[in-house]
Amino acid sequence: MSQASEDFSKVDVLIVGAGPAGLAAAITIKRLKPELVVCVIDKGAAPGNHALSGAVLEPECLARLLDPLLPEWRETPAAREALPARVKIDDVLLLTARGSLQLRPLLKLARLLGLGYGRMIHEGDHICSVSRLVAWLSGIATGIGVEVLPGFAAAELLWQSATGRAGGVRLVDQGRDRTGEPQVNFLAGETIAADFILLAEGCDGLLSEQFIAAAGLRRAGEQLYSLGVKELIRVSAEQYRQFSAERVVHAMGYPLWTPVAGPDIFGGGIIYPMGDNRLAVGIIAGLDYPYHDFNPQDALTLFKAHPAVARYIAGGTVEEAGAKMIPEGGLYAVPRSPYDGAIGRGNVVLLGDAAGLVNMLKIKGLHNAIHSGIAAAEAVAASAAPENLAVNYTAGLERAGVLAEMAEAKNFRQSIARFGTLAGMGLALLGRLLPQFKVAPDYTHLGGGSYPLKPSRPFDKDAFTALALTAHREEEPCHLLIGDPAICRERCLAQYGAPCITFCPAGVYERIGDQPRPANPSNCLHCKTCQRKCPYDNIRWTVPEAGGGPHYTTM
Ligand SMILES: Cc1cc2nc3c(=O)[nH]c(=O)nc-3n(C[C@H](O)[C@H](O)[C@H](O)COP(=O)(O)OP(=O)(O)OC[C@H]3O[C@@H](n4cnc5c(N)ncnc54)[C@H](O)[C@@H]3O)c2cc1C
């Protein structure tokens, strides 16, 4: 297709989301079909600004992505900077309130016996910052002619039911005032038409969920979510040396789960070395928790104070912070076409977290995101007609082993959602022998009980949000829509005390008079927890003006 170089109103391939999945797709398409115009849009202001992860990354996906294009990539300074270390020591700890038990030998035994839990070992994997990984991949994509456009937010997929395909994507309007009226600088959201559309929006994507509903895709089981809250802490050189630049810690148990007295929340803590005397410390908490006053940041405070963690970070300075959701439902929650089982329909496919390709036995999604990007690119190159994309893509995911890996892990998270952490983890030993259990959406799990381990001081959300460097234009319309404000006021406040005020990591929600409302939308970190944990399913996240949101650089 030929066109003026700055005109993106019609492209061959449009990719929504410049995360690992979207960029892997773009790089591979350009390698296989250099003549195609490939455009990747992202709502973040710069590549990597909306990327937050652990991150421990399996290496094989990068070899598949980059070896055919740049055989020497491992030796480049940019690669060394993006992938500074490998995991030599992989500690998996079970924490009690004061102590810890090393589970690594048990997991190694599980690996020897071929049990799913053996997948939790990550020795040899890269330790990296995903913001940096994305910035690096974005540079490679741009270098081979992909149009990577940060600051472009998609608001709507133009799905055509009659033809069973999408014509393009509409970008968000810019320049409305708080009431929605156009201001002098108003720019109506443009349409980008495309033959192939790859939705790589990450977890709980706006267009992805529109597409799943409009195209009639179905999930065999509920999608479940967790929220990860993470801080990047500068510690002393001695603390960093003691921790080691080649060691990662995954911790379960306290403060999310204790076997007898509770609490019972699925999830755990992570500590990863990020170079330059900085440790990434985080908590990932399943959103099927029952406590109306639980906030994952409180669990982070308790985790940081645990002796197994505090010794490495005491006296340290938090330099960056952020929050993001993870889709945890596994294979049952991957949306598929009822007609042919495709993970997409016609000329539109779902990649990476947008499809839910996170393996919860490994607690990893980056490798599958990258494999899915490669599979989508190969499908674009192989599809004589755009309508064949979804079927070809799904066959490629199958060939790459992504769906087989997801199948191995399919009962793990679902068993815990159904039976609680202790029983669920025990049952999950049976792996694929288990039947599918019916699980309910996260928001239905909220009860009246309190999280029993509150820290003595409230978490400083203002400082946390400031360290995410999040910003939106103050005058733009609120992008968090409340279905029925009376439900918040008359039912949620009375029954649960409006938990959005507590669980939102950025303090977006406040009670003003007797009305809970998104009073500070400009603080939003785009984690979308409110959309999934409001007990009345009464909040919808829509995309704000492009370029808004966090500005992560090392998360
Ligand atoms: C705390 C935490 C720790 C994790 N640890 C690990 C780990 O150690 N190892 C691992 O393998 N995985 C880990 N994961 C999971 C991993 O980060 C994801 O599986 C992976 O990032 C998915 O990549 P993606 O490209 O599908 O989506 P994302 O990385 O989420 O990228 C999606 C992109 O799409 C953009 N976007 C979304 N909507 C729009 C729109 N409407 N318009 C324009 N742009 C849009 C976003 O701004 C974003 O840049 C972790 C996740 C979290 C939250």
Side-chain angles (χ1 to χ4, degrees), residues 233-248:
I233 307 177
R234 184 175 292 280
V235 300
S236 71
E238 180 54 19
Q239 284 169 314
Y240 195 75
R241 195 190 58 74
Q242 278 182 8
F243 183 82
S244 166
E246 294 170 324
R247 170 185 173 213
V248 293

Side-chain angles (χ1 to χ4, degrees), residues 331-377:
L331 190 67
Y332 294 124
V334 173
R336 287 180 171 249
S337 159
Y339 309 112
D340 49 23
I343 302 171
R345 199 172 152 203
N347 64 336
V348 184
V349 288
L350 296 160
L351 274 56
D353 278 19
L357 299 176
V358 173
N359 178 341
M360 283 310 293
L361 264 178
K362 294 180 171 176
I363 339 166
K364 300 286 163 263
L366 287 166
H367 61 299
N368 282 345
I370 291 173
H371 284 305
S372 73
I374 298 171

Side-chain angles (χ1 to χ4, degrees), residues 500-511:
C500 54
I501 298 172
T502 310
F503 64 60
C504 169
V508 165
Y509 295 86
E510 275 182 26
R511 177 180 172 170

Side-chain angles (χ1 to χ4, degrees), residues 421-433:
T421 308
L422 188 58
M425 287 189 51
L427 258 184
L429 275 169
L430 296 174
R432 296 185 69 166
L433 299 176

Side-chain angles (χ1 to χ4, degrees), residues 186-498:
F186 176 72
L187 258 181
E190 282 174 48
T191 295
I192 305 181
D195 294 329
F196 297 92
I197 299 176
L198 316 186
L199 298 178
E201 291 177 290
C203 183
D204 203 12
L206 181 72
L207 273 63
S208 310
E209 296 302 315
Q210 285 173 7
F211 167 63
I212 291 165
L217 268 53
R218 294 198 194 126
R219 293 181 162 108
E222 276 305 327
Q223 185 55 282
L224 303 167
Y225 300 89
S226 65
L227 177 65
V229 289
K230 187 178 148 189
E231 291 179 347
L232 189 70
I233 307 177
R234 184 175 292 280
V235 300
S236 71
E238 180 54 19
Q239 284 169 314
Y240 195 75
R241 195 190 58 74
Q242 278 182 8
F243 183 82
S244 166
E246 294 170 324
R247 170 185 173 213
V248 293
V249 172
H250 296 92
M252 53 181 103
Y254 179 90
L256 294 179
W257 167 67
T258 59
V260 185
D264 188 355
I265 301 173
F266 176 74
I270 54 169
I271 316 176
Y272 296 167
M274 287 288 121
D276 197 17
N277 296 336
R278 288 179 299 181
L279 295 175
V281 181
I283 278 280
I284 297 170
L287 290 188
D288 51 348
Y289 64 80
Y291 312 107
H292 69 94
D293 59 353
F294 176 68
N295 169 5
Q297 289 160 318
D298 286 342
L300 180 62
T301 303
L302 295 168
F303 180 62
K304 283 166 62 181
H306 189 281
V309 183
R311 53 193 288 240
Y312 300 112
I313 58 170
T317 309
V318 183
E319 293 191 340
E320 208 172 331
K324 197 165 177 197
M325 279 203 314
I326 305 176
E328 294 195 345
L331 190 67
Y332 294 124
V334 173
R336 287 180 171 249
S337 159
Y339 309 112
D340 49 23
I343 302 171
R345 199 172 152 203
N347 64 336
V348 184
V349 288
L350 296 160
L351 274 56
D353 278 19
L357 299 176
V358 173
N359 178 341
M360 283 310 293
L361 264 178
K362 294 180 171 176
I363 339 166
K364 300 286 163 263
L366 287 166
H367 61 299
N368 282 345
I370 291 173
H371 284 305
S372 73
I374 298 171
E378 290 172 346
V380 167
S383 295
E387 286 69 22
N388 302 336
L389 176 70
V391 170
N392 286 341
Y393 164 64
T394 310
L397 278 181
E398 203 74 74
R399 278 195 306 276
V402 172
L403 298 179
E405 185 193 299
M406 294 290 295
E408 190 190 5
K410 69 181 179 182
N411 289 314
F412 173 61
R413 182 66 180 91
Q414 304 271 340
S415 305
I416 293 166
R418 181 75 176 77
F419 298 104
T421 308
L422 188 58
M425 287 189 51
L427 258 184
L429 275 169
L430 296 174
R432 296 185 69 166
L433 299 176
L434 291 170
Q436 181 183 355
F437 300 116
K438 194 166 168 44
V439 297
D442 291 327
Y443 72 87
T444 62
H445 288 258
L446 212 67
S450 269
Y451 176 59
L453 301 175
K454 281 262 164 220
S456 51
R457 272 187 301 151
F459 190 87
D460 186 347
K461 291 189 185 190
D462 290 340
F464 188 87
T465 312
L467 289 167
L469 291 178
T470 194
H472 296 84
R473 197 169 62 81
E474 289 291 339
E475 291 308 311
E476 70 180 278
C478 179
H479 65 283
L480 299 152
L481 309 181
I482 305 294
D484 179 357
I487 291 181
C488 310
R489 195 173 55 243
E490 289 159 18
R491 296 167 66 186
C492 191
L493 197 57
Q495 199 175 351
Y496 302 112

